[in-house]
Amino acid sequence: LVPNLQSSWKMGAVAFTLILGGFAAILEAGGGFTALLRRLVSPGKDAGTRVEMAAGGLGLLCFFDGLANSMVVGRVSRSLADSSGVARAKLAYIVDSTSSAVACVAFISTWIAFQLTMIGEAYALAGRDVNPYLVFLQSLPYNFHSWFTLVLLFVAIRFRFHPGPMAGFVADAQRDHAEPVDAGNEAPDENPGHPATALGPVVVLLVAFFVGFMVLGDPAPGWPDCRDRMVAALGSNAGP
């Protein structure tokens, strides 16, 4: 453990994870994602399916990091899922399928930053000078694992496809909630929050990403504008 604690890169990753956990706690405490989830779950029949679709939609919204996705979506969806007869195992499947899979194909995420580093180092060892971000973009159509994971997720939600042991967990949850509470008619929370308290921090996070690109980018001489500085921060060594 001690040698690893002496690595600035690894300690930076630990610090970043702790900060990201705090960010997720702020999103949860603000109640914005809970309010957004309740708005997505409109009144009507089949509340369980609508809760599952809403949880999947929130998973797509939390694209910036797989860990934050799991913490935020799982925690804010849990109580509503329980009251709607959604199995905890099914909710865990939804959260897991929209965490790393979304972060791997998003245009900006913490996981992509790691991928760019690996791509750049691999090409450097091969003696080739490339733009890692362009290589990443070109590879997106071939990320079959992520795309198939997302497609199978929404097939499982829309058509109630529960292979293997999942069917047993779903049946147990539905049996325990023979008369599920209509999610759209639940009593409101004391402090339900507002969707802006969820979307606001996400917007601030995206702005911070781009500001970081401009500040930390190291463009070559003659690259004074913001666009080229962002490109340089993403790994480009080519001219404008």
Side-chain angles (χ1 to χ4, degrees):
L1 180 62
V2 174
N4 287 286
L5 295 178
Q6 298 173 350
S7 169
S8 60
W9 190 93
K10 294 179 180 179
M11 290 307 300
V14 172
F16 177 80
T17 302
L18 294 176
I19 294 173
L20 194 62
F23 179 74
I26 291 174
L27 292 179
E28 181 183 4
F33 273 95
T34 301
L36 186 61
L37 182 66
R38 292 183 182 276
R39 288 196 178 189
L40 292 174
V41 181
S42 57
K45 297 181 180 179
D46 200 6
T49 299
R50 290 182 283 110
V51 169
E52 292 175 6
M53 289 295 294
L58 288 184
L60 298 179
L61 181 62
C62 292
F63 60 87
F64 44 84
D65 182 79
L67 179 60
N69 183 306
S70 299
M71 292 189 293
V72 173
V73 178
R75 291 177 67 89
V76 303
S77 304
R78 183 170 52 192
S79 60
L80 193 59
D82 288 343
S83 64
S84 302
V86 177
R88 285 285 185 92
K90 181 68 174 294
L91 180 61
Y93 166 65
I94 295 172
V95 171
D96 179 71
S97 296
T98 58
S99 56
S100 58
V102 173
C104 284
V105 296
F107 291 101
I108 298 175
S109 74
T110 54
W111 176 241
I112 290 173
F114 173 73
Q115 290 186 76
L116 295 180
T117 301
M118 300 297 291
I119 292 172
E121 291 180 354
Y123 275 97
L125 291 174
R128 297 184 58 185
D129 186 14
V130 300
N131 181 340
Y133 194 67
L134 291 181
V135 173
F136 163 75
L137 292 178
Q138 294 169 354
S139 71
L140 283 180
Y142 306 100
N143 194 337
F144 300 119
H145 178 270
S146 295
W147 296 122
F148 289 166
T149 296
L150 295 174
V151 170
L152 181 59
L153 169 67
F154 287 100
V155 167
I157 295 175
R158 176 63 179 82
F159 299 101
R160 314 300 297 169
F161 175 61
H162 303 127
M166 179 67 71
F169 289 111
V170 173
D172 291 340
Q174 292 177 347
R175 183 172 58 251
D176 294 338
H177 297 80
E179 296 181 358
V181 178
D182 190 342
N185 296 326
E186 290 185 46
D189 296 336
E190 294 182 1
N191 182 24
H194 190 275
T197 60
L199 301 178
V202 173
V203 172
V204 171
L205 181 68
L206 292 177
V207 172
F209 270 130
F210 284 106
V211 171
F213 289 159
M214 289 185 288
V215 173
L216 300 178
D218 187 20
W223 289 25
D225 59 50
C226 297
R227 178 183 63 84
D228 292 331
R229 187 174 289 272
M230 289 184 184
V231 172
L234 288 170
S236 175
N237 293 320

